[in-house]
């Protein structure tokens, strides 16, 4: 887990000290009282279905290199989550998509880069061409019964398995 360790106050420059604030050990400025609150990363991605199949990306880099996940990634600090989901999908798959409804919100605490909240949107393909990138070793469509066992963590595995369960039930009906 990456920890953030600020040595000096961002407001007055004094050295920070550890104190209990709201029942949690935090870095606090003894001079002006500023408190450093660690924050989660925010990610956005898409759930793209076509012909009863789900689009997954195989990671080309750590963490989870070689594992499968939904097209998603970290948002820029000023980026709208819908636009970020569309951008990440294009970067990782070559597809231009339009986001629709919120499909899921996931929490992940297994990522060595830090805890993350991921907002997933259903999305419609509006252009582009399916291709890999420096981030994706493979991009592939899967039927519910074909979903690989090696799924990326940090909530992707949970969201993909939930999609799989829902679509297996629909196909069994």
């Amino acid at each position: 887990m990456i920890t953030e360790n600020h040595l000096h106050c961002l407001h007055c420059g004094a050295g920070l000290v550890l104190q209990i604030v709201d029942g949690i050990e935090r870095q606090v400025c003894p001079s002006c009282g500023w408190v450093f609150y660690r924050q989660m990363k925010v990610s956005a991605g898409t759930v793209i279905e076509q012909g009863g199949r789900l689009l997954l990306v195989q990671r080309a880099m750590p963490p989870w290199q070689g594992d499968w996940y939904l097209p998603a990634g970290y948002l820029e600090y000023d980026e709208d989550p819908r636009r970020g989901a569309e951008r990440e999908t294009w970067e990782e798959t070559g597809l231009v998509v339009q986001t629709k409804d919120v499909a899921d919100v996931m929490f992940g605490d297994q990522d060595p880069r830090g805890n993350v909240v991921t907002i997933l949107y259903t999305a419609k393909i509006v252009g582009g061409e399916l291709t890999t990138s420096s981030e994706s070793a493979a991009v592939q469509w899967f039927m519910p019964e074909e979903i690989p066992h090696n799924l990326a963590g940090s909530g992707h595995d949970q969201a993909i398995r939930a999609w799989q369960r829902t679509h297996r039930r629909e196909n069994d009906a």
Side-chain angles (χ1 to χ4, degrees), residues 5-18 27-37:
N5 186 16
H6 291 283
L7 301 176
H8 295 88
C9 177
L10 297 178
H11 291 276
C12 72
L16 299 179
V17 297
L18 291 175
Q27 296 178 61
V28 179
C29 178
S31 179
C32 73
W34 178 75
V35 179
F36 171 70
Y37 290 94

Side-chain angles (χ1 to χ4, degrees), residues 81-112:
R82 287 181 181 278
R83 301 300 79 83
E86 292 167 352
R87 174 185 56 78
E88 285 289 341
T89 300
W90 178 78
E91 288 176 1
E92 295 176 356
T93 70
L95 297 175
V96 178
V97 298
Q98 180 181 14
T99 55
K100 300 291 184 187
D101 299 322
V102 172
D104 204 349
V105 177
M106 306 175 306
F107 168 71
D109 61 357
Q110 311 90 6
D111 194 320

Side-chain angles (χ1 to χ4, degrees), residues 1-4 38 107-116:
M1 176 71 61
I2 294 176
T3 60
E4 298 183 44
R38 291 184 63 200
F107 168 71
D109 61 357
Q110 311 90 6
D111 194 320
R113 299 167 294 180
N115 293 348
V116 62

Side-chain angles (χ1 to χ4, degrees), residues 45-49 70 100-106 119-123 159 163:
T46 55
V47 176
I48 306 170
E49 296 179 48
L70 296 162
K100 300 291 184 187
D101 299 322
V102 172
D104 204 349
V105 177
M106 306 175 306
I119 305 165
L120 291 174
Y121 298 94
T122 57
W163 178 90

Side-chain angles (χ1 to χ4, degrees), residues 132-148:
T132 59
S133 71
S134 62
E135 297 178 44
S136 56
V139 182
Q140 188 173 329
W141 295 97
F142 292 95
M143 295 296 290
E145 63 277 4
E146 299 170 335
I147 297 291

